[in-house]
Amino acid sequence: MELKRPLAGAAVMLLVIAGCVGWVWQRNGLYGLNTFLRRGGTYWITIEADDPRLSPSMQLALKEPPPVAQPGPFTWREVEKGFEVAEMPVMADGKEVDRILLNRIDPTLYRFVARNAANGDMGIDEWEKALPTAVLIVNGSYYDPKGRPDTPIVSEGVTMGPTAYDAKAGAFTAGDGFASIKELSNQTWQTALTGATNAMVSYPLLIGSDGQTHVRTASRWLANRTFVAEDGGHRIIVGTTKEAFFSLGALAEFLKSAPLDLKSALNFDGGPIACQSVRLTGFQRKFYAQWEAQVNGDEVKLLRWPFGKSWAMPMVLTVERR
């Protein structure tokens, strides 16, 4: 009898584990299983706006009224021909509250590739190993619960993602010797992606061709952010925030006033997946993101996970030398 009880308990435990695995597989497929193995799953905790588990920058951003951010001084450095890097300080209340890791790229000298790894086994470290010649790797647009593109994309000439999709924001498009941001308020995404060998539909459009911000929904959601933009010289600027000071609306306003000569800017997905890798001759940069918080009134929900440093990145944009 004493032996049967532990065996019965083990059998029940195995059934519970099998049921959990089956539920994850049904809902999220291989992406879900790999995500669980990679970081033990994710969950939200409800905290106060001044909770020390939030970064100091996030606590400051949640004050009423929130401080207005201004760009600090920075200098572009051309590391390789046509590829410049910089770090722009974000200043508020007389101190640095965030920093944007910037890359400015000549699309006639570098090619942009949209990629998807739906299995959930590719974080920034694995992408680096898989793409040893990529000089820039950042997270891309949105993905569905099974790690597949949640918006239309073109990857090396192959169209992926949903075929029926109502897109009104923007798309990053790239082809032989060109790259640009296309607005989708006056054209379909199918038209915008015509001729592109790599492209990603995403949202929201942070800055439109009219020079104005296009974030229509007010939100205090804070997260690490990644954006792609086009400047007046038709160069592509890719930026990632080190902190989570910005809501989407605040980021759009900041970029509008920043000395970047942006003609358009498009948001990519954000949060702990907003990682960045730069590998140039004489310059290396590697950043792991970690922040995301839903804010509704006085309620703050912070995203957490049991273990792991690098999130899976199902959608990435990479840059390679031509």
Side-chain angles (χ1 to χ4, degrees), residues 14 23 32 43 70 99 105 121 188 211 237 249 277 292-293 302:
L14 287 174
W23 180 83
Y43 56 94
Q70 301 290 337
R99 180 168 285 254
I105 305 151
D121 56 351
T188 66
I237 294 179
S277 166
E292 187 166 356
L302 180 65

Side-chain angles (χ1 to χ4, degrees), residues 69-76 85-91 96-103 206 223-228 237-246 250-260 262 276 283 285 287:
Q70 301 290 337
F74 69 98
T75 302
W76 287 105
V85 297
E87 294 190 11
M88 178 167 53
V90 178
M91 308 299 295
E96 184 175 319
V97 296
D98 208 332
R99 180 168 285 254
I100 303 182
L101 308 176
L102 293 168
N103 307 274
L206 299 172
N224 290 104
R225 304 289 181 190
T226 293
F227 66 89
V228 60
I237 294 179
V238 180
T240 303
T241 67
K242 291 188 71 174
E243 263 285 351
F245 178 79
F246 288 115
L251 177 62
E253 290 294 337
F254 179 85
L255 292 177
K256 177 183 172 182
S257 65
L260 296 171
L262 298 187
Q276 184 183 125
F283 180 85
R285 174 195 285 157
F287 169 69

Side-chain angles (χ1 to χ4, degrees), residues 115-128:
R115 301 180 187 275
N116 171 238
N119 287 347
D121 56 351
M122 299 284 284
I124 195 70
D125 300 328
E126 290 80 11
W127 280 114
E128 283 186 335

Side-chain angles (χ1 to χ4, degrees), residues 40-312:
T42 55
Y43 56 94
W44 298 89
I45 59 172
T46 301
I47 57 177
E48 301 294 328
D50 60 352
D51 193 289
R53 284 171 288 187
L54 293 168
S55 73
S57 292
M58 296 172 80
Q59 294 178 53
L60 183 63
L62 293 176
K63 290 186 178 299
E64 289 290 353
V68 177
Q70 301 290 337
F74 69 98
T75 302
W76 287 105
R77 173 191 170 195
E78 188 173 46
V79 181
E80 294 186 18
K81 185 178 180 181
F83 199 120
E84 300 167 90
V85 297
E87 294 190 11
M88 178 167 53
V90 178
M91 308 299 295
D93 290 350
K95 60 184 178 181
E96 184 175 319
V97 296
D98 208 332
R99 180 168 285 254
I100 303 182
L101 308 176
L102 293 168
N103 307 274
R104 188 163 66 182
I105 305 151
D106 182 347
T108 66
L109 300 177
Y110 295 84
R111 63 188 300 263
F112 296 79
V113 183
R115 301 180 187 275
N116 171 238
N119 287 347
D121 56 351
M122 299 284 284
I124 195 70
D125 300 328
E126 290 80 11
W127 280 114
E128 283 186 335
K129 293 176 182 177
L131 303 171
T133 61
V135 294
L136 172 65
I137 304 170
V138 295
N139 71 291
S141 188
Y142 301 88
Y143 54 94
D144 71 12
K146 292 189 176 182
R148 302 166 301 195
D150 202 37
T151 67
I153 78 166
V154 180
S155 179
E156 297 290 61
V158 178
T159 302
M160 304 169 64
T163 55
Y165 188 83
D166 185 19
K168 299 297 184 183
F172 172 75
T173 64
D176 187 14
F178 78 89
S180 65
I181 306 294
K182 300 286 185 68
E183 292 188 37
L184 301 179
S185 59
N186 57 1
Q187 63 180 319
T188 66
W189 64 264
Q190 292 93 337
T191 300
L193 270 54
T194 299
T197 54
N198 287 278
M200 285 186 174
V201 172
S202 193
Y203 57 86
L205 189 67
L206 299 172
I207 300 174
S209 58
D210 58 1
Q212 302 304 309
T213 61
H214 283 233
V215 179
R216 307 303 186 194
T217 303
S219 172
R220 299 173 68 203
W221 194 309
L222 303 177
N224 290 104
R225 304 289 181 190
T226 293
F227 66 89
V228 60
E230 184 177 356
D231 72 5
H234 301 292
R235 294 166 297 190
I236 298 301
I237 294 179
V238 180
T240 303
T241 67
K242 291 188 71 174
E243 263 285 351
F245 178 79
F246 288 115
S247 66
L248 285 171
L251 177 62
E253 290 294 337
F254 179 85
L255 292 177
K256 177 183 172 182
S257 65
L260 296 171
D261 188 30
L262 298 187
K263 301 308 178 186
S264 57
L266 181 65
N267 181 68
F268 277 165
D269 202 358
I273 64 167
C275 302
Q276 184 183 125
S277 166
V278 182
R279 295 175 295 176
L280 296 163
T281 303
F283 180 85
Q284 306 284 313
R285 174 195 285 157
K286 191 168 187 177
F287 169 69
Y288 297 93
Q290 62 175 317
W291 296 112
E292 187 166 356
Q294 299 178 10
V295 184
N296 184 13
D298 294 330
E299 183 181 76
V300 180
K301 292 184 177 180
L302 180 65
L303 185 62
R304 307 290 278 182
W305 56 99
F307 57 83
K309 181 179 182 180
S310 172
W311 272 45

